[in-house]
Amino acid sequence: MGNLITREQAYEHLRLDYDSSGSADDGWLDVFIPAVSEAVRRWLKEDWRLYEWETDSDGNIVRDSDGNPVPLLDSDGEPVVKPVVRAACLLELASQYRFREGEGRDNAVPSHEGYGHGLTSKAAVALLTTIRRPTVS
């Protein structure tokens, strides 16, 4: 599976100046868009939670042979990312962009709270908590 957000979405969310040749931050984005996508994917634990689900003509969720919802595909045959996942990725990317050196983590999930492993943004964690499979350690 690919990135959960596009470079153009990142440009807009981070309010970066860009043109047809890109932006000065493209090198950073080329590393962090896939990294944030993977962090969100791992935090949710199951890929099917990332995407909108396909429904049949009666409105029932279509499931695969394992009982998981089948992702809805766009016109290019790519899974449609849930808006809450896209928003969480953009918030996490913004946190990583703002605090590239690790300083000033005012919005970071404290380690003693234990639920933010892999994600630093409280806002991203808050959005994704609603669709994550709960576990007991």
Side-chain angles (χ1 to χ4, degrees), residues 38-95:
E38 182 62 22
V40 167
R41 182 176 280 108
R42 287 178 185 230
W43 198 83
L44 286 176
K45 301 178 184 178
E46 297 164 316
D47 279 358
W48 62 265
R49 294 178 184 276
L50 300 165
Y51 306 110
E52 295 290 345
W53 304 328
E54 185 177 329
T55 56
D56 62 20
S57 59
D58 294 326
N60 299 313
I61 297 170
V62 176
R63 297 186 180 276
D64 64 18
S65 58
D66 294 327
N68 296 325
V70 173
L72 178 66
L73 302 179
D74 65 16
S75 59
D76 295 325
E78 295 294 322
V80 176
V81 177
K82 287 182 178 180
V84 69
V85 172
R86 187 178 314 109
C89 286
L90 290 168
L91 289 168
E92 181 66 22
L93 187 71
S95 178

Side-chain angles (χ1 to χ4, degrees), residues 2 13 20 29 51 54 58-59 97 100 103 108 110 126 137:
H13 186 74
S20 60
L29 291 171
Y51 306 110
E54 185 177 329
D58 294 326
Y97 185 78
R100 288 182 256 187
E103 77 289 353
S137 51

